[in-house]
Amino acid sequence: MKASVRFPVSPTLLRRLAYTSIIANVAIVVTGGGVRLTRSGLGCPTWPRCTDESYIATPEMGVNGAIEFGNRLLTFAVGVIALAVVLAVLAQRTRPRGLLPLSIGVLFGIPAQAVIGGITVLTNLNPWVVGLHFLASMAVIAAAYACWKRTTEPDGPVTPTVPAPLRTLAGLTTVVSAAVLVVGTWVTGSGPHAGDQGAARNGLDPEAISQVHADGVFLLIGLSVALFFAFRAVGAAGAARAAGVLVAVELGQGLIGFVQYFTHLPAVLVAAHMLGSCLVLLATLGVLWATRERRPAAPPAPATTATPANEPVTAAV
């Protein structure tokens, strides 16, 4: 049987493609926010077509149609990058365990996220569905991050780098970070940037839900600062650096959040805040990964030759 041809893909190229996938998925979150902030959410009034008669935006639809259709096209670009990662993984002669399922998860997560985006259009930008659309993007980013990290790790056993109580604290911080993202979508759904003049709001009191969100942010920052000092106390330098990055990102994100609230949510700051949400997620995952490491698998022990039972053993004189 003729051997199949395998196109060589270096591990370095694979890592770069996986990293590019993270960037692309963050970028489409920001551009998706731009669609909403420019009131172009219904620039294409239906889905999967842009209009009932056309899959693409027409000149009569104006700039809003062009913006919404352009964001839909970006989804294909992000999908192509994810497909390239899967193909690069398949081209490896040996691949880390779990890498292929992660890369496939990212690839299929992108069309799933696009379908939720289509539902937002079909439901006239229902704020709860819009929030789910954002959270689906966060899930894809998390999977893309895990895929990238797996390409940089040896294929060995997982070893903790910090004591168990600190791993639990890092897990709690991750849960609080996710909760802050969820509540943030509720704040957005109660605010003025609906994506279209006719889109409904979720009915929550903007001031009250913003306070809940702020309380969650304060808790998250407190936990992150505690992690930083606890990691330093046990000598976990890598984990302490990751926690320091998380605190810095959170402080920057919090500053943007407060400024945008007291300046009545200017579109530029709202877009920056959406980017900050992605960075907070990535920094949180960075802390979680820093609490463990993979070490190269130990080489197999050399085989020993046993002395036959009926063979006499001679002692050296």
Side-chain angles (χ1 to χ4, degrees), residues 16 19 27 30 32 36 51 58 75 89 93 139 165 180 228 242 258 261 266:
R16 289 175 178 174
Y19 191 73
V30 177
R36 181 169 56 83
T51 68
T58 61
T75 301
V89 171
R93 294 185 180 277
V180 167
F228 173 74
F258 277 108
Y261 179 78

Side-chain angles (χ1 to χ4, degrees), residues 143-162:
Y145 180 87
C147 183
W148 171 66
K149 290 297 291 185
R150 197 68 190 90
T151 67
T152 65
E153 296 176 329
D155 198 17
V158 176
T159 304
T161 60
V162 298

